[in-house]
Amino acid sequence: MQTFDLTTADQDFIAEVESRSHQNLKTCYQCGNCTAGCPYTFAYDYSVSQIMRLIQAGQKEAVLQSRSLWLCGSCQSCTTRCPNLIDVALVMDVCRHMAREAGYATERAVKVFVDSFLKSVERHGRAYEMGLMVAYMTRSGRIFTDVDLAPTALMRGKLPFKPHPVQGREQVARIFERFRQGGING
Amino acid sequence: MSPLDDLKTAIKSRLGELDCVIGWEQGYDQLHATPLFIRSEADLDRLVIGPLAVHNLATYLPGLRGKKVGIIVKGCDSRSVIQLLNENLITRDDLVVFGLCCSGVVSHRKIRAALPVDPGFVEAVDLSTDTLSITASGQTTILHMADIAADKCQICQYPNALIADVLVGSPQESKVLTTLACQEEFEAKSEAEKFAFWQETMSRCIRCYACRNACPMCVCRDFCISTSRDPLWLGQENTPGENMMFQLIHVSHLTGRCTECGECERACPVDIPLLLLRRYMNKQVQDVFEHRAGTALEQTPPLLTFKVEEEGIKERGW
Amino acid sequence: MSPQNIRELRIVGFLCNWCSYGGADTAGVGRFVQPTDLRIIRVPCSGRIDPLFIVRAFMNGADGVLVSGCHPRDCHYAEGNFYARRRLEMLKRFLPITGIDNRRFEYTWVSASEGQRWQHVVTEFTRGIHTLGPAPSFNPVSETEWNKLAVQASEGQGCPCHG
Amino acid sequence: MRIGVFICHCGSNIAGTVDCPKVAAKALTYPDVVFSTDTMYACSEPGQDGIIAAVKEQQLDGVVVASCTPRMHEQTFRRAVERAGLNRYMFEMANIREHVSWIGKIMEDNTIKAQELVRMAVEKLRRNRPLIPKRFETVKRVLVIGGGVAGIQAALDCADGGQEVVLIEREQSIGGKMAKLDKTFPTVDCSSCVLGPKMVDIAQHPKITLYACAEVESVGGYVGNFHITIRRKATYVDWNVCNGCGLCLEKCPSHKHPDPFNENLCTAPSINIPFPQAIPKKAAINPQSCLKLTQGKCGICATVCPLKCIDYEQKDELVDVDVGAVIVATGYDLFDWHKYPQYGQGRYPDIITSMQYERLLSASGPTGGQIKRPSDGKEPKNIVFIQCVGSRDRSVDRPYCSGFCCMYTAKQAILTKDHLPDSQSFVFYMDIRSPGKLYDEFTRRAMEEYGAHYVRGRVSMIYPQDDKLLVRGADTLAGTQVEVQADLVVLAVGAEAAAGAAQLGEKLRVCPDQYGFFVESHPKLKPVETNTAGVYLAGACQGPKDIPASVSQGSAAAAKVLGLLSKKELESDPAVARVNQPRCVGCGKCIQTCPFGAIKEVADRFGNPKAEVIDTVCQGCGICTVTCPQGAIQLEHFTDNQILAEVQALCPPKIFANYE
Amino acid sequence: MAKIAYYPGCSGLGTSVEYDSSTRAVCRALQVDLVDVEDWSCCGSSPAHTVNHVLSAALSARNLAQVEGMGLDQVATPCPSCLTNLRTAAHKMAHQDFRDQVNALLDIPCRTNVETKSVLQVFDEQVDPQLILSKVVNPLTGIKIACYYGCIMNRPPVLMRFDDHENPMAMDRLMCALGAEVLPFPLKVECCGASYGIPRGDIVARLSGKLLDAARRLGADCLVTACPLCQMNLDLRQGQINRALGENFQMPVFYYTQLMGYALGLDRTELGLNKLCVDPHRVLGKIKQPVPVK
């Protein structure tokens, strides 16, 4: 296990998480209610309450490298039940943004899925599931993902081969374009 | 029979039970009326009413407490009577009210301004429904009543006496206008402009206390806190600040009590528009408490009571 | 005349003894740092505060006046703050016609346990007064101004409609 | 006038950020000030001696002390100037600690502010005049509101001290929450064995009058002379006759109503005596469920009652009583755990409150002391206790610690093991708070000797799985999620202000704090006093408290009352309103607005109406002074001139002299 | 009832076509007047907000702006994920700074005066229960149902403002009205694994498996959902779950609109029952035939 040097806590990191999430993380008293309710805890490396504690301790690297950030399903059970009214899921989201900006992707498959999804939306204006699956499999190298489901889904007409046309897809594409130009933190 | 005759008949029938009846008579010339204290039928002959009878006679009532008094009131004056009754400052049983239906009174200040020169002594006055002709120094000027009516009459909502044992004349309708242009214009000014206006206006004030003495609601008389040592609210320096302080004491004490009779402004020898302050305060009282002083008996002045939940007051958040 | 620091403006507070004065004490005990402009006059109850005290303070050059009492229903004297609320609300609404900016006057309720709220109120109110700056003086402050005023007055400006 | 000014350093509390000698020097320039000095601790014995010496040596006739808040030491210094031979009202205080040195950081600004506050105090003092208190007799009787353990202790101590006591209790029996408990911590002795004899003492004490089923209707008067109206609610049984034989209970055919004494775990007859040790042991009819009162039929209890004391026509009764002092001991309520939807909101019968669990543990409870779970009556094996349900939780507006839940949970874990040796308790906690005498040892015993498994973390959700309850929580020390298949879940619900406390507080003019508990006069020095003279607090109505603390406060409040009533006469505060009769126009506005009826109309020698203040009734609020336009009624010590002098001191008029 | 804009969501064109078609059919039957959002685009779904909140809000806000362009002030969507995105966008855009940032990405600025609701909420709040009762021709008598709402239909409560956030009842009430026996499903708002089906199938197997297990323990004949993603995880992936957990679940997973349509006697092809992966016909066969009314 690591030893954290508490005297070198990264105050800027704490401040950044607080300001981007608009949450006061000092109010977290580590009751563990978020961890208790989180359905994903079994898959995490750090539990949610530990992530909160690490942020309080200013341990930027440990937080941003945590796989938990990528596995949070934003199911809101932590936010809904926090006794200190902290929007915990939002804090997880913000840390995930910061991890992405810092170039971390400790659950690569999740990141590739997200990127493929957004790529698909950028190109077609809507999520095109067939194209998304192909793109994901190519990029992740996991070409057998869900191939077992394909016959069932295809048979039931649930995976159309062609994307549905959106007239305003250029508008959607421009959203992505301006976003990349703007370098917005939000 | 004219309303005046009706009135005289009515007074005659009640005079026996009263110490006096307060009305108006001609003053030093035909243009100016002056209060008349009727003690006998002979006095009654001198009684006048009409647009020149400007005074609010209710001002005399608190001083005559304990005596049985009759009083002639216009619609506006009657509000003062009601307010005095509501404040327990006069006794209903000692009072006989002869109410008039009033079509308005003149503003001497406007007459003065409308005449080419200050007439000094007026030789003759001729009144018709719409005009007033004044003869002074052999010269006759005809003025239109609309131009010389007192401000309060232009927006009068209570032309007929609201309280009367005897009501004479035919009831008049209240005016459509409810606010004066000059009032709105002044209220629209910036705070700095208003401040400068009062600073300058108050430097004219000579602290003669005529406004206070004419006010029917100023019942403290010799014990006004503006002229007392204990408590000592006001310095004696004649500065705009102290003069303004005096006016603010007056308005403050009139909160929810002022009947807008305008006697203060009429009495002011240096033409300070005191009603600007009072009309504004009355509007606030109306907005917050839905209260108009002297318009109904048994009203409690709003500052002498409270509600646990005040609908009219929005708490300001911090 | 007592010394006055130029960094500070003149802010007078009228506080009821039972709630708000206690609240200000609580803020002190908690070391809740506040601007130093405010000077507090202790009165038994907000019902003792004559609106004319506030007017007097303004006429004497106060830049701001803050009144605070017990929350409605919590008055030590049962009803004092109910009367105060009516009186102070009327003053607050009346001030604009006199040319005194009514943001210079506020009234609020702070209980003895609300030290933090008191800190907040004082800080916010003081900041507001500093934004408004020093209040203008009703009396001329120099001979020149006196003379100017005298000339204006002799010309008689009067009411807008009285000419 | 000769005024002396004393600037206190308060050690470094003031002197740290205020230049005290400079303030003292400046004070010498103020009018009438003939002596000024700074002093290390003005309130200490040498400090007070210094003031007294100065008064004598300098022939002072007024003293200003600039130190802490007058709410702290005004009385101290008033007594000091009185010892020096001055009237106690010839004294003023400037608060340069709470309002200056503790809140401002800049020494220069603080010093100027302190100087101005001293100046203000001097100007006020120049207009003070000696005031002499009036003396009045007190009623030698005490009202105690609330018959829980705090109220019982207070009532007994007052009565033993020789005062008459009226004890009123809202419920049918005294005993409060403690009467429902099985055992008490940390001794695990039987609650009813401890409390029972005290309850009997209440019933038997010749100086105590007990009104159960009674509430305060209205309160008038003032310290030493309160006029209380008590509403005795209809019980439909003549309690003068009823001997508590219980025959009616047995025969009552309507017994489906939930039993509040047993926390609704079972039902009770519509005519009932809540528990065997009830004091008074009298039956009362529940008008909501009684067939006779709701539907007009039945009447069996009246038939079977051997003493014929049933009276279906009985009405509420109002009783007036005059007392000299009031002790409020209205206790607390338990937090309504239904505010946590994740705990099922009552859908799962085997999630119960800690108080319900006490009733299950109690030999006089619905299960005769056997732990059986409500759903199927089976003995539970795995029992989960969840602490901080409605405590330390902002999301349900209860951010405070209820203080006693840690201890009673440990007690319940211990008792569980005693009752069911094969059981296993799991306690979810955030922090263990056990600072009392032998308290921490007690919680350690629960873990070490009784094997309670303590888990540090909250429980996020509970849901049924087959016939168990799946409790999902966190073990933050292990850093993970944990699950327990529980047979029974006990929620350690916190304390909150009692329902009705706000209304009672309004009647007694006792303020609630932000959570609804009553505020004491000073958190350290006046813990049982309130801001209303003659009204005292005992027990959990002031904040959550366990039994030892409640009993201590009951005794403390009683001591205060005995002290107060030991004086034959009390002095009234002379800072009351006074009418300057010549100025009064007799309009009666002051009479109309006085909340206390302290002003009456009199006639002067000419028969003119005038106002007159009844000194001992006037509370000194000053509403009348503001109401009077001619300033004829002035509140002594806070007159217009005194306050105006303070305003003038702070805002010296800026007049450019335009005259020679 | 006033016209309501309808936002089908991308999955309505693919994996949840039967949800889309059954929703439209039921709305028609209950006189809920839906108008498709003109030229709608993806709301950003669950991936976008994990990348950036402004981007995510902009993708949603484009659609809100489209609704505004149609002159409507209410939009309904069957999909909780779309619902969350659209509501979150409007909620965050209440702050001027955030709104400016979002509008800077858009061609047509969004004024955020559109209220987004789930179709379920529209049924619950805007359709007269008596109307539904009057239209039932095949009561669902005889089947036991567990209603599963998914994790974000009602949470967080400050944002969603609909129904109880721990024990929602809107769907339970509807199913009850249709005659089904509704079981007290304890995991109504527990997460099914969301969009991790593709990158982390193991997570979905565990979480969805738990839901199927809880329903089976209760004795439910089927699960009823309101979310395309949940339905897909529970139905399409049920085989994967069985393999991963060594289980043998055979639990049909309906969209609630399918059962509503069934009870209301609507055209079976529109309900798309044949698109379900776990064969529902055994369960539907349990429904007692209504006794013909004279």
Side-chain angles (χ1 to χ4, degrees), chain E residues 103-130:
Chain E
N103 280 336
L105 300 186
L106 295 176
D107 285 7
I108 304 162
C110 172
R111 297 191 304 272
T112 68
N113 45 19
V114 172
E115 162 98 7
T116 312
K117 285 182 177 177
S118 64
V119 174
L120 179 64
Q121 187 174 2
V122 172
F123 288 155
D124 193 56
E125 293 174 352
Q126 287 164 260
V127 176
D128 180 4
Q130 290 305 320

Side-chain angles (χ1 to χ4, degrees), chain C residues 18-36:
Chain C
W18 301 98
C19 290
S20 296
Y21 196 91
D25 284 350
T26 305
V29 172
R31 312 296 200 274
F32 300 148
V33 174
Q34 299 155 42
T36 44

Side-chain angles (χ1 to χ4, degrees), chain D residues 179-256:
Chain D
K180 296 184 176 187
L181 303 181
D182 177 39
K183 302 281 193 309
T184 57
F185 59 79
T187 46
V188 202
D189 48 359
C190 161
S191 185
S192 58
C193 311
V194 181
L195 184 66
K198 280 189 180 289
M199 289 167 61
V200 174
D201 287 350
I202 292 281
Q204 294 179 346
H205 205 294
K207 291 226 167 232
I208 297 179
T209 309
L210 169 63
Y211 295 120
C213 287
E215 290 187 87
V216 172
E217 179 79 4
S218 65
V219 179
Y222 49 93
V223 58
N225 292 282
F226 291 105
H227 313 297
I228 314 284
T229 304
I230 297 167
R231 175 176 291 274
R232 298 191 66 186
K233 286 170 289 183
T235 58
Y236 309 99
V237 175
D238 184 348
W239 279 11
N240 295 321
V241 183
C242 175
N243 65 357
C245 71
L247 207 55
C248 49
L249 282 62
E250 289 166 25
K251 302 291 181 194
C252 175
S254 158
H255 42 69
K256 291 280 164 16

